[in-house]
Amino acid sequence: MTTTRRSAYGSMPDGTQVELVALADGTGVEVDIITYGGILAAIRAPDRKGAKANIVLGLPDLEAYRSRNRFFGAITGRYANRISGAAFTLDGRSFRLAGNSAGGANAIHGGLVGFDKRIWAAETLADGVALAYSSPDGEEGYPGRLDVTVTYRLSGGALRIDYAAVTDRPTVLNLTNHSYFNLAGEGSGDVLDHELTLLADSFTPTDANGIPTGELAAVDGTPFDFRRMTAIGARIGEAHPQIVIGRGYDHNYVLRKSAAGAPEPFASVREPSSGRTMQVSTTEPGVQFFSGNNLDGSLVGTGGRTYRQSAGFCLETQHFPDSPNKPHFPSTVLRPGERFASTTVFAFGVEA
């Protein structure tokens, strides 16, 4: 049975209170969520000996999240990932966005003050918490009022995230959670020995600024092939042009999809020393696999240890980057009368 507990986490400069919602499901998995950015601040899970550790990267307090966060655990939107030129055209109208990537040339993760920096209203549920935010028309340049709900549910060792949204004007939308995982425990070192299976036959190559070229490239015969379980670090040092551009992995994978609606499994992760495992399912067509290439030792994590390169990895379920400017990519347009719905499930376990 899942339990929920709310407590104060801190306050914003204007006095707005931030809460922490703690979930526990009786399996040993515990999840902490804060209402600033809808951030997954901690996921504690047992190893093969029953010892618990926080397996997501995080920061020690609200001020650190406000001033130094690199999207750790946050809800990212309105548009997760990148939009080229910080602009797009929809129904013949051009929209200029807040440029916050590549020196302002592109937009990333919703802009200068995206969903990761907003206060979300929380409603506790029997098995989780529903977070709500209303984004006004024109926020960060995006058209239409957008009413968003992100629901975290914990049951049976699995964390389910349901995203829902409606709009009053045609707009574009791409939502994800930006958690960095380290199944050995945050701050314990790099994740290069984590073993990953990723069921994707192709990925979207990028230019030097992370913008997709538009190509769907086969993973076969490349360091991007994780269709069989492979250590994250096994080929991360190869001289493949896309590895060089990203300084590791930072690419959208095109997931195999058999049917719309239900979440489908696409990734398995195993950490050999602890025995912890993670299975991931989603309704989304893509996932950004990121090997934590920009972590440089300048951030001190929840446990008081610094985060260096590859201290965590991300599996950000999503529609493709720059879809508003790539008509052949799956559409991210949301119109009045439609309801955006997306689900991702992270299931945690152990093996001997």
Side-chain angles (χ1 to χ4, degrees):
M1 179 178 177
T2 301
T3 61
T4 63
R5 178 175 53 84
R6 296 173 73 153
S7 60
Y9 187 75
S11 58
M12 300 292 285
D14 65 359
T16 302
Q17 296 299 300
V18 175
E19 288 187 285
L20 182 147
V21 182
L23 311 178
D25 69 354
T27 69
V29 177
E30 302 167 346
V31 175
D32 291 346
I33 299 140
I34 61 173
T35 54
Y36 176 79
I39 289 171
L40 278 172
I43 300 176
R44 291 176 292 277
D47 66 9
R48 61 166 62 92
K49 296 180 180 179
K52 287 185 184 180
N54 179 14
I55 59 171
V56 292
L57 275 56
L59 297 173
D61 53 35
L62 179 59
E63 178 54 32
Y65 278 117
R66 289 187 57 249
S67 63
R68 308 203 70 197
N69 192 18
R70 296 188 182 177
F71 303 101
F72 288 160
I75 299 167
T76 52
R78 286 189 191 190
Y79 201 96
N81 221 306
R82 297 164 176 86
I83 295 180
S84 63
F88 66 94
T89 299
L90 178 59
D91 296 340
R93 291 192 60 187
S94 296
F95 296 93
R96 171 63 58 179
L97 307 174
N100 62 328
S101 177
N106 303 318
I108 188 170
H109 293 332
L112 297 170
V113 187
F115 289 177
D116 61 294
K117 298 176 181 66
R118 302 294 179 178
I119 304 296
W120 294 68
E123 177 188 357
T124 51
L125 309 172
D127 57 353
V129 61
L131 302 178
Y133 176 68
S134 291
S135 175
D137 181 23
E139 185 172 75
E140 299 296 301
Y142 290 91
R145 174 190 166 109
L146 189 77
D147 294 321
V148 187
T149 302
V150 179
T151 304
Y152 294 101
R153 289 186 169 90
L154 181 65
S155 179
L159 177 66
R160 178 182 174 119
I161 309 176
D162 291 299
Y163 305 85
V166 294
T167 184
D168 63 358
R169 289 180 60 192
T171 193
V172 296
L173 179 64
N174 190 27
L175 298 175
T176 195
N177 177 274
H178 203 298
S179 287
Y180 289 71
F181 293 92
N182 185 327
L183 299 187
E186 63 84 28
S188 63
D190 66 48
V191 295
L192 300 181
D193 63 347
H194 283 51
E195 297 169 346
L196 170 67
T197 302
L198 192 55
L199 300 180
D201 300 315
S202 58
F203 73 104
T204 53
T206 74
D207 65 15
N209 291 319
I211 300 295
T213 63
E215 177 189 5
L216 303 183
V219 301
D220 191 41
T222 77
F224 293 87
D225 190 351
F226 285 90
R227 291 174 296 181
R228 293 185 178 180
M229 186 161 275
T230 304
I232 290 174
R235 297 165 298 186
I236 201 169
E238 292 190 12
H240 188 284
Q242 287 293 306
I243 292 285
V244 173
I245 282 175
R247 296 188 299 129
Y249 299 103
D250 190 8
H251 294 79
N252 172 69
Y253 279 73
V254 181
L255 300 180
R256 301 173 185 171
K257 303 299 291 183
S258 61
E264 296 185 52
F266 72 88
S268 299
V269 188
R270 175 181 178 270
E271 199 286 302
S273 65
S274 67
R276 291 189 185 93
T277 63
M278 183 173 75
Q279 314 293 325
V280 194
S281 305
T282 191
T283 57
E284 287 293 295
V287 63
Q288 189 83 4
F289 170 44
F290 179 46
S291 53
N293 316 320
N294 64 349
L295 300 173
D296 58 7
S298 63
L299 295 178
V300 177
T302 310
R305 290 168 287 193
T306 57
Y307 293 151
R308 301 188 182 277
Q309 188 171 23
S310 297
F313 69 91
C314 301
L315 291 171
E316 304 161 60
T317 56
Q318 61 181 6
H319 272 57
F320 301 174
D322 204 33
S323 288
N325 295 312
K326 301 284 193 300
H328 61 293
F329 282 1
S331 175
T332 55
V333 175
L334 180 68
R335 298 185 180 278
E338 299 175 344
R339 182 177 181 272
F340 173 88
S342 173
T343 298
T344 295
V345 180
F346 298 94
F348 305 101
V350 290
E351 62 181 27

